[in-house]
Amino acid sequence: MHVWLILITLSSVVGLLVAKYMRHKLSVFAAGGLPWLGLLGVLLYTEYFVPYQGGGASMWPVAQFFGGTAAAFIGVVTFLVARKFIWPVNDTH
């Protein structure tokens, strides 16, 4: 349960920071891609650099599929909500 709380919190923070500081039209991809890549980095570090602690098959691709998708979704939704209500972008000029 704590892992999901950390994942949701950090993805939301990334979405908020991207909404505040990036003003490019493609910044929504950064809001989804950075949490996805962050989770991938953590999973690959855990898989390849942390000593093996026994157990069954390696499930990091499955964790990346579900957790990475959730992280990207949360980052994009937070970005869109922040752009709509907190820091609207004035694209009229």
Side-chain angles (χ1 to χ4, degrees):
M1 188 63 165
H2 296 288
V3 173
W4 282 105
L5 183 63
I6 293 168
L7 183 73
I8 290 169
T9 303
L10 292 179
S11 298
S12 299
V13 168
V14 168
L16 285 173
L17 290 174
V18 170
K20 177 144 178 78
Y21 294 112
M22 289 185 72
R23 296 293 178 194
H24 196 269
K25 290 190 329 189
L26 299 177
S27 57
V28 69
F29 292 110
L34 289 174
W36 191 90
L37 289 171
L39 180 64
L40 179 64
V42 168
L43 289 172
L44 290 178
Y45 173 79
T46 303
E47 183 66 26
Y48 292 108
F49 293 110
V50 174
Y52 184 69
Q53 297 174 353
S58 176
M59 296 297 286
W60 71 265
V62 176
Q64 179 63 30
F65 178 75
F66 289 108
T69 303
F73 179 77
I74 291 166
V76 168
V77 168
T78 305
F79 170 82
L80 293 174
V81 168
R83 277 287 173 92
K84 179 80 172 168
F85 299 111
I86 301 172
W87 299 293
V89 176
N90 189 3
D91 289 332
T92 58
H93 34 349

